[in-house]
Amino acid sequence: MSQPITLEDVLSKNETELLAQLSEKELARLYWKFRGLAKTLERDTAFWNSTNENLKVAYETLDEKERELAAAYHIIRDDLEVAQSVQNALLPRMFATMASELELGVYHKQLTEVGGDYFDYFRTASDRYAIGVFDISGHGVSSALVMAYLKAQFMTIMERLENPAEIVEWVNRASYEFLREVRKYATVNFVTFEESTLHYVCGGGYGLLLGADGQEHIFEKKNHFLGLRQKPYLEEQLPFVVGDLLVLYTDGMVEAQNLEGKDYSVARLNDVVWRHRTLPTEEIVRLCVEDYHSFRTQDSDDITLLIARKTA
Amino acid sequence: MNEQNAPPDQMLVHGSLMVGFAQACVNLNIVAGRDATNFIKGLQINDWYPLAQWERLQELVVRSYGNVDPIMVKVGIAMMTGWYHYGPGKEVVRRGASFLHYQTGSGGFASVVRGPERVVGSFELELFDKSRGKAIVHSTTPFNRKMECGVLIGGMLAPGDIDYVDVRNDEDSDHLVVEFH
């Protein structure tokens, strides 16, 4: 006598004609199994509907946040554009004594709208002049604010002190607590000019003097950054006569890398300057920037390159 | 917090319940899943935790959904599916219907909560009629009722011998009406 057909037999054999042989009990089981599946489907549908509704709300929220973000971004952009004009307005213009003795070429580019590279021209107490090139740590708005602060410090002291080491030391002392508080520091390359000599204080950054006679002098970094220590600064003196070329720059160009991860380097920049040293300073700067652009993949820092030739 | 440190009138929830809940959320990919995983970091599965900590975990799910009821049902089912197939469930429950007795007895709800009765409440089987496929559980616990519906559904379906289970509490939120066949 054969075993009665069960629901499991029908399902496992996948033979629908066996359905007719199911007992009433097995048919009832089939009924409840179907109801069970329908109930599971109902619960799953409710679950997914709720999840979909949640996703819809999430998308709407995301959309709203995106609009808010876009609005906030526009406000920030507008503010940055204003900040950029303010920072550009803080950049120096040559005054008469300087213009009569120096031929200048400058390339200055902040990585973002505003930045922490800073160069300036100062009138000294004895109506001579000075040039400063600074690189404030970090980028962006905070560094730009520190730049404005340092400019104010230099403007305050330039009318009272003459000696470059004393000037830088005074600025460092006056700024020290502030810079510590905002966790910033700045490289300093500060040069004062007399009739036929220059005095420099170098605490970071790069300086190169190419004499008209072919002599080359690289600035010695004997000093500390502004805001790092409170101790005296040392200055050096060099002859600076007609035809001599002074090159001051921050690390923005020389530390930029190419696709192989190689630095543009001080050696390469100095070599470009050397090869074109007889050209007008603006042309030398243009060629330096052209060579730099051909090398690096992208800018990674603020950039300042300043080239001055003694003309009188 | 362990039970020795708990105030005497405080309800405590077993770590296994909290981990089971969070794991179910993760398995279902519901919004709170990642948050829940972070939340249970550091929890010990055999330790006891204040009810407030459980409520914070549950709130992660509740606050994310406009209609949370179907979600909580599904979470309850997933908790019991995990408990049965990956936990000790198979050892203690052999048939779907017996899960009702287990869950309302000393090994179920009572084993994962501690504290004064007025706070803990109870989870009792008021009616069990196997021939009609009907049972009623009276719940006064502080847990989400829809999750409890899901726990009963998941626990009864897990052994695989029951073809149909539905649990509703529409008419009286504290009475979970079970239909099974």
Side-chain angles (χ1 to χ4, degrees):
Chain A
M1 187 176 166
S2 63
Q3 293 283 322
I5 299 292
T6 65
L7 184 55
E8 282 69 26
D9 293 334
V10 178
L11 293 173
S12 63
K13 291 175 181 167
N14 202 21
E15 292 174 12
T16 49
E17 57 269 26
L18 292 175
L19 281 169
Q21 298 175 42
L22 286 176
S23 65
E24 277 190 21
K25 188 183 167 195
E26 289 300 295
L27 280 173
R29 281 192 59 214
L30 180 61
Y31 168 78
W32 285 114
K33 197 171 266 300
F34 171 78
R35 289 279 309 272
L37 289 171
K39 185 54 76 177
T40 300
L41 183 66
E42 185 185 313
R43 281 193 288 263
D44 286 351
T45 303
F47 172 79
W48 290 116
N49 282 344
S50 185
T51 302
N52 281 346
E53 185 59 32
N54 185 52
L55 272 178
K56 188 180 157 200
V57 171
Y59 277 125
E60 283 168 0
T61 307
L62 195 66
D63 197 42
E64 193 182 319
K65 294 288 174 198
E66 199 176 320
R67 281 198 298 274
E68 285 175 16
L69 201 63
Y73 178 74
H74 279 298
I75 292 170
I76 291 168
R77 285 272 337 159
D78 289 348
D79 278 351
L80 280 174
E81 278 173 19
V82 173
Q84 190 174 35
S85 344
V86 170
Q87 190 171 39
N88 286 340
L90 290 174
L91 291 177
R93 286 165 188 79
M94 279 214 287
F95 38 88
T97 326
M98 258 186 100
S100 66
E101 293 184 4
L102 290 183
E103 176 209 345
L104 269 179
V106 179
Y107 179 74
H108 177 68
K109 182 171 178 272
Q110 308 287 18
L111 186 64
T112 53
E113 283 80 356
V114 291
D117 262 20
Y118 162 46
F119 72 98
D120 214 340
Y121 313 141
F122 306 98
R123 199 186 302 272
T124 65
S126 58
D127 204 29
R128 295 294 300 166
Y129 53 89
I131 294 175
V133 175
F134 312 88
D135 179 3
I136 293 127
S137 56
H139 311 287
V141 175
S142 61
S143 299
L145 288 169
V146 172
M147 169 254 181
Y149 178 87
L150 288 178
K151 182 180 178 83
Q153 299 305 311
F154 274 98
M155 299 304 281
T156 302
I157 199 58
M158 287 306 296
E159 291 175 2
R160 286 191 275 153
L161 294 175
E162 186 77 26
N163 180 289
E166 287 179 3
I167 291 168
V168 175
E169 195 173 322
W170 186 93
V171 171
N172 183 54
R173 204 166 46 243
S175 315
Y176 184 77
E177 291 300 332
F178 167 73
L179 290 174
R180 300 290 285 186
E181 191 178 332
V182 298
R183 296 177 183 179
K184 292 278 184 184
Y185 56 84
T187 66
V188 51
N189 232 338
F190 188 75
V191 185
T192 58
F193 297 85
E194 291 168 12
E195 292 289 338
S196 56
T197 58
L198 62 77
H199 294 252
Y200 73 85
V201 174
C202 183
Y206 300 88
L208 168 70
L209 181 65
L210 293 180
D213 58 0
Q215 292 267 345
E216 180 181 306
H217 180 93
I218 292 172
F219 280 18
E220 294 180 54
K221 298 181 190 180
K222 289 186 171 175
N223 296 293
H224 48 94
F225 296 168
L226 293 173
L228 274 193
R229 295 186 188 85
Q230 290 203 77
K231 63 177 201 180
Y233 279 82
L234 302 171
E235 67 179 61
E236 298 290 324
Q237 180 181 331
L238 292 170
F240 189 57
V241 296
V242 173
D244 287 356
L245 207 61
L246 173 67
V247 186
L248 300 172
Y249 52 94
T250 57
D251 60 2
M253 282 175 99
V254 295
E255 290 183 2
Q257 296 186 330
N258 64 4
L259 279 173
E260 286 84 46
K262 193 178 164 196
D263 284 0
Y264 182 68
S265 81
V266 169
R268 178 158 174 162
L269 179 59
N270 287 355
D271 179 60
V272 177
V273 174
W274 173 261
R275 282 190 281 116
H276 303 293
R277 64 188 181 284
T278 55
L279 298 175
T281 52
E282 284 186 358
E283 184 62 7
I284 302 173
V285 167
R286 191 189 67 75
L287 290 164
C288 287
V289 172
E290 190 176 277
D291 184 63
Y292 162 75
H293 282 162
S294 72
F295 177 89
R296 62 93 170 97
T297 49
Q298 61 177 24
D299 293 339
S300 54
D301 201 353
D302 305 324
I303 293 170
T304 300
L305 170 65
L306 184 151
I307 301 180
R309 176 180 283 118
K310 176 89 168 164
T311 53
Chain B
M1 180 187 287
N2 58 38
E3 59 188 313
Q4 284 79 18
N5 299 330
D9 61 343
Q10 189 175 24
M11 175 173 166
L12 297 171
V13 178
H14 197 244
S16 61
L17 189 61
M18 300 182 72
V19 172
F21 179 85
Q23 191 58 53
C25 292
V26 172
N27 293 347
L28 289 169
N29 291 318
I30 65 174
V31 172
R34 194 186 300 166
D35 287 342
T37 308
N38 291 335
F39 184 76
I40 60 168
K41 271 183 187 168
L43 286 180
Q44 298 300 315
I45 201 164
N46 291 321
D47 214 340
W48 291 86
Y49 296 90
L51 178 66
Q53 207 156 336
W54 163 267
E55 285 170 337
R56 281 201 296 278
L57 188 62
Q58 187 175 270
E59 182 60 21
L60 286 175
V61 178
V62 172
R63 75 178 181 207
S64 302
Y65 288 88
N67 177 19
V68 77
D69 285 355
I71 304 296
M72 293 306 284
V73 170
K74 199 78 173 156
V75 168
I77 294 172
M79 282 170 74
M80 287 303 104
T81 305
W83 171 78
Y84 187 85
H85 292 289
Y86 306 107
K90 273 184 194 156
E91 302 300 318
V92 289
V93 175
R94 302 295 167 101
R95 301 184 68 79
S98 54
F99 177 78
L100 278 174
H101 297 286
Y102 172 80
Q103 188 62 17
T104 52
S106 59
F109 167 76
S111 69
V112 290
V113 292
R114 283 188 185 169
E117 196 178 330
R118 64 183 166 76
V119 186
V120 171
S122 61
F123 198 71
E124 292 171 355
L125 189 58
E126 278 191 354
L127 171 77
F128 181 76
D129 184 341
K130 192 177 177 185
S131 60
R132 286 172 53 218
K134 185 168 182 185
I136 296 176
V137 174
H138 184 225
S139 171
T140 55
T141 73
F143 296 120
N144 181 287
R145 290 287 173 270
K146 290 297 177 187
M147 186 192 78
E148 289 182 333
C149 288
V151 164
L152 294 180
I153 295 166
M156 292 180 76
L157 284 176
D161 64 318
I162 291 183
D163 296 318
Y164 176 91
V165 178
D166 192 23
V167 182
R168 310 185 72 90
N169 70 329
D170 303 335
E171 291 174 11
D172 175 356
S173 63
D174 287 348
H175 280 94
L176 313 182
V177 179
V178 185
E179 186 185 1
F180 60 96
H181 297 281

